[in-house]
């Protein structure tokens, strides 16, 4: 959980100066402290760790080739999953992220689209937005990992929804109902 404290405590905490009298005094005052306030050092730490996590993960990002991605997605069992061909998945990945595992797109509402399938944080993963439902039970930064395990598991949950791959507008516009065999042609499986 997050640490809550009134504004007057933040200076003592950020300086690391906390003697027994101030600690006792703070405990007495804690009962009236609004629970929604975060100590500035804690908030700063949360923001910096989130940014650092993104930078570290983005630094490890991978841009797959078409056939390399097709092999990985096939190995994860996506070929035929919920009636969608491997070519559907490869087409989706190309038009959402250009096969880039580190792709992040920021939306006007503060949410982000993350990873090779551009999975949105409003519903599917956790970022700094406190009210996201995180239905995939992962941090959004986990969806930027080049090994794709968390991304594929999350995408499989999304496709279980009634709209299936139609959840992605990009798939509906660029892939649905089209001849997609070129997306996997020439790939050595």
């Amino acid at each position: 959980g997050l640490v809550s404290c009134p504004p007057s405590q933040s200076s003592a905490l950020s300086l690391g100066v906390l003697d027994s009298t101030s600690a006792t005094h703070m405990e007495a005052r804690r009962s009236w402290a609004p629970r929604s306030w975060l100590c500035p050092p804690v908030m700063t730490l949360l923001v910096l760790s989130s940014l650092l996590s993104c930078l570290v993960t983005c630094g490890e990002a991978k841009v797959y080739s078409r056939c390399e991605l097709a092999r990985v997605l096939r190995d994860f069992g996506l070929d035929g999953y919920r009636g969608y061909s491997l070519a559907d998945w490869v087409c989706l990945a190309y038009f959402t992220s250009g096969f880039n595992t580190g792709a992040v797109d920021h939306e006007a509402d503060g949410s982000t689209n993350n990873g090779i399938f551009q999975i949105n944080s409003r519903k599917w993963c956790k970022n700094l937005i406190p009210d996201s439902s995180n239905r995939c039970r992962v941090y959004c930064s986990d969806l930027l990992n080049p090994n794709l395990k968390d991304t594929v598991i999350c995408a499989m949950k999304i496709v279980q929804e009634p709209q299936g791959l139609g959840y992605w507008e990009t798939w509906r516009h660029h892939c649905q109902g089209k001849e997609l065999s070129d997306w996997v042609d020439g790939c050595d499986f």
Side-chain angles (χ1 to χ4, degrees):
L2 299 174
V3 177
S4 299
C5 63
S8 61
Q9 292 175 345
S10 62
S11 59
L13 290 174
S14 64
L15 294 174
V17 179
L18 199 58
D19 60 18
S20 61
T21 40
S22 60
T24 306
H25 181 67
M26 283 189 340
E27 283 301 317
R29 291 180 17 192
R30 187 173 300 235
S31 61
W32 66 267
R35 298 315 258 174
S36 62
W37 291 3
L38 289 176
C39 300
V42 173
M43 183 57 122
T44 303
L45 181 61
L46 286 172
V47 170
L48 288 176
S49 66
S50 175
L51 289 173
L52 182 60
S53 143
C54 180
L55 290 174
V56 169
T57 307
C58 293
E60 298 173 8
K62 176 177 176 114
V63 178
Y64 279 89
S65 71
R66 177 179 59 86
C67 287
E68 181 183 21
L69 179 63
R71 272 190 295 281
V72 169
L73 297 180
R74 186 204 60 193
D75 291 348
F76 275 118
L78 287 183
D79 190 15
Y81 184 76
R82 293 286 181 157
Y84 296 103
S85 70
L86 187 56
D88 279 305
W89 292 98
V90 176
C91 180
L92 170 66
Y94 176 77
F95 284 108
T96 54
S97 69
F99 303 144
N100 183 354
T101 64
V104 177
D105 182 43
H106 298 272
E107 297 291 334
D109 67 357
S111 68
T112 55
N113 298 314
N114 305 278
I116 206 160
F117 294 129
Q118 293 291 278
I119 296 171
N120 191 273
S121 64
R122 255 177 275 125
K123 232 183 188 181
W124 303 103
C125 62
K126 181 158 185 63
N127 65 7
L128 292 177
I129 297 175
D131 296 332
S132 64
S133 61
N134 191 12
R135 293 175 68 185
C136 287
R137 304 283 182 238
V138 295
Y139 286 100
C140 296
S141 59
D142 296 338
L143 301 175
L144 307 177
N145 193 320
N147 79 15
L148 299 181
K149 178 184 172 194
D150 292 325
T151 300
V152 168
I153 290 169
C154 188
M156 291 170 110
K157 286 181 184 179
I158 294 170
V159 171
Q160 291 173 16
E161 295 289 305
Q163 64 267 57
L165 277 181
Y167 167 82
W168 284 275
E169 183 179 338
T170 333
W171 179 82
R172 291 192 316 264
H173 288 253
H174 298 284
C175 310
Q176 185 177 23
K178 307 248 183 347
E179 171 54 47
L180 301 177
S181 62
D182 287 348
W183 289 105
V184 292
D185 277 354
C187 297
D188 183 27
F189 297 129

